[in-house]
Amino acid sequence: MAWVRAAFELPHKAAVQWYPGHMAKGLQVMRERARACNCVLEVHDARIPYSGRNNALLRLGGKKPHILVLNKEDLTEVEGRTQVIQSLKQNDLNHVLYANCAQDYDESHRQIMEQIVWCLKNQPVLNKDRIFRLMVVGIPNTGKSSLINALRKTYMHRGKATRVGSVPGVTRAVLTQVRIYDDPLIYVLDTPGVMLPNIQDIEMGLRLAAVGGLQDHLVGERLISDFILYMLNKRSKFDYVEMFHLSEPSDNIDIVLEGVAKRIGALLKGGFWDNLRASQYFIARFRNGGLGRILLD
């Protein structure tokens, strides 16, 4: 497709960064609490299985078991998952699972719990008191709290224990432990999402922004929308054409946003189209899967 941009060019020298004070403080507390934990469970967005994973979180458990859950599997492509898992396993990640933590009683919850129990019971160090502690970590807005609540609801038949939000940064402190399983007795520790302190690769930063890992206003809604459009076209995902009543696919974000604004009736005083509202709607539709499943990495 010759009309699709060969590469995404930033309109200016942009810096994609977000590392507020609560993240640095939270990481320090997590390092201290990790000593008493038996296993680390990392939750990451399945649409970006490689981008943005924080090495500081990978080192928290030392030689303790590390499980990677690629959440929001319903938003990524089914094809290529075996290749993703094999690639991650080459980097010493032997426990990788796909999941949909927002769904009640999903089959993936059972698979995750079976993996957790297996890792805990097969540790080289004998746990004499038979009480295990699991630390759940990850970058912002990947579904850590949703996973904890789903496991708690499935196996303890209890309601939500941690707050859940679609905006990154809802969990801002290391919370108290929550019981999620009885045999063996397993407690889980929810933690704040910790972003990379320095994002050198700008396109990786935009992939993080596209899935909601960064706060939109820090990157710019129009820039995020433009990057999403670029990736949709690059992956031949053209659901947006029919949704926003366009005559054909376009690589011009202004044309697409005008179509979005017309579709949702986003008008400013004077009859001008409200591109900010259009961008916000376009981003939201992408994030909830309304523009099709996609793998951004």
Side-chain angles (χ1 to χ4, degrees), residues 45-66:
D45 196 303
R47 292 167 292 183
I48 50 169
Y50 311 116
S51 291
R53 295 182 57 232
N54 193 332
N55 287 330
L57 301 179
L58 306 185
R59 295 191 295 267
L60 276 176
K63 294 183 179 180
K64 296 173 183 176
H66 187 108

Side-chain angles (χ1 to χ4, degrees), residues 58-297:
L58 306 185
R59 295 191 295 267
L60 276 176
K63 294 183 179 180
K64 296 173 183 176
H66 187 108
I67 301 170
L68 173 62
V69 172
L70 294 173
N71 189 26
K72 307 181 184 181
E73 66 170 345
D74 56 313
L75 303 180
T76 191
E77 300 168 26
V78 176
E79 300 81 5
R81 290 188 184 183
T82 301
Q83 182 180 353
V84 168
I85 292 174
Q86 290 176 346
S87 177
L88 290 168
K89 284 186 175 180
Q90 290 177 358
N91 293 316
D92 296 326
L93 273 171
N94 296 316
H95 312 294
V96 183
L97 302 124
Y98 279 87
N100 181 4
C101 298
Q103 184 73 35
D104 287 342
Y105 307 115
D106 190 76
E107 172 63 17
S108 63
H109 303 163
R110 182 188 62 80
Q111 295 172 354
I112 292 169
M113 184 55 73
E114 286 182 353
Q115 188 70 76
I116 291 171
V117 171
W118 187 90
C119 285
L120 292 175
K121 285 186 174 181
N122 287 275
Q123 288 187 96
V125 179
L126 181 63
N127 191 316
K128 295 181 180 179
D129 59 8
R130 298 293 295 171
I131 298 176
F132 296 97
R133 292 170 181 84
L134 175 75
M135 179 174 282
V136 177
V137 304
I139 65 173
N141 205 25
T142 55
K144 297 179 294 297
S145 297
S146 294
L147 173 59
I148 293 172
N149 290 330
L151 294 178
R152 180 178 169 85
K153 186 174 183 178
T154 301
Y155 293 99
M156 301 299 297
H157 306 292
R158 296 181 182 178
K160 294 181 179 179
T162 61
R163 287 197 305 153
V164 176
S166 60
V167 177
V170 170
T171 305
R172 300 177 65 88
V174 179
L175 303 180
T176 55
Q177 59 186 14
V178 177
R179 187 172 174 177
I180 61 167
Y181 203 71
D182 278 334
D183 186 22
L185 189 56
I186 301 175
Y187 288 90
V188 66
L189 193 69
D190 193 14
T191 64
V194 179
M195 183 53 67
L196 297 168
N198 186 17
I199 301 174
Q200 299 288 348
D201 184 340
I202 300 301
E203 187 164 320
M204 182 183 74
L206 289 172
R207 288 195 288 271
L208 289 166
V211 300
L214 298 167
Q215 293 189 353
D216 292 346
H217 71 276
L218 296 176
V219 182
E221 287 84 350
R222 187 185 183 282
L223 180 57
I224 297 172
S225 297
D226 193 20
F227 181 74
I228 289 172
L229 177 64
Y230 163 72
M231 291 302 301
L232 289 172
N233 289 332
K234 186 177 179 181
R235 298 283 195 265
S236 299
K237 305 286 184 178
F238 302 127
D239 289 0
Y240 71 88
V241 177
E242 181 178 355
M243 178 173 291
F244 302 121
H245 308 309
L246 303 177
S247 60
E248 60 184 359
S250 174
D251 208 25
N252 188 321
I253 189 60
D254 293 321
I255 292 174
V256 174
L257 289 182
E258 182 177 331
V260 176
K262 289 179 180 178
R263 170 74 170 75
I264 65 175
L267 277 174
L268 297 169
K269 290 182 179 179
F272 298 103
W273 298 114
D274 189 339
N275 283 338
L276 176 57
R277 277 183 59 197
S279 294
Q280 292 169 339
Y281 186 84
F282 187 71
I283 293 169
R285 293 297 289 165
F286 170 79
R287 288 177 181 163
N288 66 21
L291 302 183
R293 292 171 174 250
I294 191 169
L295 179 65
L296 295 177
D297 274 338

